[in-house]
Amino acid sequence: MEAIRTSRLTLEPLVVAHADAMFDLLGDQNIYRYLDYPPPPSVESLRDRYRRLETRASPDGRQAWLNWIVCPHGRPPLGYVQATVPSDRDAYVAYVFATNHWGHGFAREAVHAMLEHLAASYDVNQYRATVEAGNERSIRLLRRLGFQLATRSALGAHNSSTELVYVKSANQEDHIQRFRERDHRVD
């Protein structure tokens, strides 16, 4: 797994050593308004989680677990982006950013770079993201990135009264070409 660079950001592959810096960031209670899990209870619990994620694969080996810590070049982390890529190559993507970094375009830039990387390096066919219906900020971000609300037939087994599913097709050739032409470099 490689680092991904944009003009302002470095997406560093998550490792256990990121836990200390991320613990304080993830302690921001405002992040969890629309999430279905609480902040990590301790740095050690976050290290344990990161240790599992650092394997880059689910325990049964059927899914790639790809997680990047997002940092402005040479600065402390702002948040993270992640993707779960099962064998059918329909990636499930997510992101979390500290509230003091909302509204600056960092999430859009980081998620966009991750999507392009997934298309170019993991042969992803489609992206999926779930979002709480009331999370207008996240819904706007997904729409700006080209995601559309999933049709009933595209929902599959997902059944939630509070979550929406957004999908985006990965046009492989367009993504690969844009990835090469833009300022994204894989280190």
Side-chain angles (χ1 to χ4, degrees), residues 5 28 30 33 41 43 86 107 119 127 173 175 184:
R5 292 181 57 86
D28 179 354
N30 295 317
R33 179 175 179 191
V43 173
Y127 311 105
E173 290 305 313
H175 279 290
H184 301 281

Side-chain angles (χ1 to χ4, degrees), residues 3-175:
I4 303 167
R5 292 181 57 86
T6 72
S7 60
R8 299 188 299 167
L9 303 172
T10 301
L11 283 64
E12 299 174 4
L14 178 141
V15 294
V16 172
H18 287 118
D20 291 337
M22 291 298 292
F23 180 73
D24 289 335
L25 182 146
L26 295 174
D28 179 354
Q29 292 293 323
N30 295 317
I31 292 173
Y32 301 91
R33 179 175 179 191
Y34 296 109
L35 298 177
D36 59 0
Y37 53 89
S42 67
V43 173
E44 191 54 44
S45 68
L46 192 59
R47 285 185 193 122
D48 289 343
R49 176 169 169 69
Y50 284 5
R51 199 169 285 111
R52 287 188 304 276
L53 294 175
E54 198 177 73
T55 66
R56 315 282 185 237
S58 61
D60 64 7
R62 294 183 180 178
Q63 298 175 338
W65 287 353
L66 309 172
N67 297 271
W68 291 269
I69 300 300
V70 180
C71 303
H73 302 306
R75 308 227 24 228
L78 309 170
Y80 65 84
V81 295
Q82 63 186 31
T84 300
V85 184
S87 58
D88 67 4
R89 299 186 336 255
D90 285 355
Y92 295 84
V93 299
Y95 44 88
V96 171
F97 285 80
T99 55
N100 60 327
H101 299 294
W102 292 358
H104 301 285
F106 295 124
R108 185 203 54 76
E109 187 174 334
V111 174
H112 181 75
M114 176 182 64
L115 297 179
E116 287 186 336
H117 179 73
L118 292 172
S121 299
Y122 292 89
D123 199 26
V124 168
N125 293 317
Q126 183 175 347
Y127 311 105
R128 292 177 174 268
T130 59
V131 60
E132 287 293 325
N135 191 345
E136 289 297 323
R137 180 180 294 277
S138 193
I139 290 169
R140 282 192 307 271
L141 171 62
L142 291 170
R143 287 181 177 160
R144 280 194 301 267
L145 290 167
F147 282 77
Q148 297 179 344
L149 190 59
T151 62
R152 194 171 297 281
S153 63
L155 288 176
H158 187 84
N159 186 16
S160 170
S161 61
T162 64
E163 286 183 333
L164 302 172
V165 177
Y166 277 80
V167 296
K168 177 180 176 157
S169 292
N171 182 326
Q172 202 65 29
E173 290 305 313
D174 288 348
H175 279 290

